[in-house]
């Protein structure tokens, strides 16, 4: 039988470094005159009486607990995920003369973090969440083009590969004999 009981809950158990997590201690019993102490990974942290808000955390795992006198709450584990950048494009192959468009979806990075685009490991002058690449005749049908994004804080996307499609009909039409049947 417990005289006092503390039950800890959280508004989330996974988040990115740019997010905030709030923990709430539900008290049962007589806690009059008893100060609540919040612990994160065993270290005492500042919190209000019955809530603790954590923000600006680095990626990793955090164990949160609330203690009031001899009563100890359950431990709630918070996982802060690594920031990530994911590239998408409406098509996987483009013809010469078309413009390939790309969009970066960012999770866990500050809005002020600058994104820089790379084509085949060469830095471009384009920054931001969108990028357009003119597929010129410097490419040939069958070429693969690798696109990636890096943030100023060092987060890098996986490479996104598109292919340059060969326009077979254009090659046939360029031949003066293409309509002749022998």
């Amino acid at each position: 039988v417990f005289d006092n009981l503390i039950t800890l809950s959280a508004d989330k158990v996974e988040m990115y470094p740019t997010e905030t997590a709030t923990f709430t201690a539900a008290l049962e019993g007589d806690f009059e005159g008893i100060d609540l102490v919040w612990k994160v990974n065993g270290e005492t942290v500042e919190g209000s009486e019955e809530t603790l808000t954590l923000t600006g955390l680095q990626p990793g795992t955090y164990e949160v607990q609330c203690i009031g006198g001899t009563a100890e709450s359950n431990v709630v584990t918070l996982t802060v995920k690594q920031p990530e950048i994911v590239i998408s494009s409406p098509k996987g192959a483009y013809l010469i003369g078309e413009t390939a468009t790309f969009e970066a979806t960012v999770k866990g990075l500050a809005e002020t973090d600058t994104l820089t685009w790379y084509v085949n490991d060469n830095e471009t002058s384009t920054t931001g969440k969108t990028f357009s690449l003119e597929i010129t005749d410097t490419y040939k049908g069958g070429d693969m083009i690798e696109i990636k994004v890096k943030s100023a804080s060092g987060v890098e996307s996986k490479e996104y590969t598109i292919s340059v499609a060969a326009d077979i009909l254009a090659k046939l039409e360029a031949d003066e004999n293409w309509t002749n049947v022998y």
Side-chain angles (χ1 to χ4, degrees):
V1 176
F2 294 98
D3 289 338
N4 291 336
L5 181 64
I6 304 172
T7 305
L8 190 59
S9 62
D11 66 339
K12 61 184 74 143
V13 292
E14 282 190 350
M15 68 180 208
Y16 288 98
T18 53
E19 296 177 306
T20 300
T22 302
F23 297 84
T24 305
L27 308 175
E28 293 181 39
D30 182 15
F31 282 90
E32 190 172 323
I34 297 175
D35 290 329
L36 296 180
V37 177
W38 289 92
K39 301 264 186 183
V40 177
N41 291 343
E43 300 288 323
T44 302
V45 296
E46 291 292 321
S48 71
E49 272 299 302
E50 295 176 22
T51 61
L52 172 68
T53 301
L54 297 177
T55 187
L57 298 175
Q58 295 300 312
T61 302
Y62 298 86
E63 292 184 344
V64 180
Q65 187 176 33
C66 183
I67 300 170
T70 59
E72 294 186 6
S73 75
N74 55 307
V75 174
V76 175
T77 302
L78 173 67
T79 302
V80 180
K81 299 188 275 186
Q82 289 285 345
E84 64 180 338
I85 305 170
V86 177
I87 300 173
S88 62
S89 181
K91 298 184 345 182
Y94 291 87
L95 294 170
I96 293 171
E98 289 186 313
T99 300
T101 58
F102 305 91
E103 184 174 345
T105 303
V106 178
K107 295 179 182 175
L109 291 175
E111 287 293 322
T112 57
D113 204 346
T114 304
L115 301 177
T116 303
W117 291 84
Y118 290 76
V119 176
N120 294 333
D121 285 327
N122 296 315
E123 184 175 339
T124 69
S125 60
T126 303
T127 60
K129 291 184 179 180
T130 59
F131 175 60
S132 295
L133 175 65
E134 188 71 35
I135 308 299
T136 62
D137 58 5
T138 57
Y139 299 106
K140 296 181 178 93
D143 282 354
M144 304 302 274
I145 303 172
E146 294 177 345
I147 307 295
K148 68 180 171 183
V149 179
K150 291 182 185 177
S151 72
S153 63
V155 177
E156 187 174 318
S157 71
K158 291 181 180 178
E159 289 181 341
Y160 187 92
T161 304
I162 61 167
S163 62
V164 178
D167 190 352
I168 297 169
L169 181 59
K171 287 186 180 196
L172 288 174
E173 289 175 343
D175 183 354
E176 63 185 45
N177 296 315
W178 80 279
T179 58
N180 296 333
V181 179
Y182 296 100

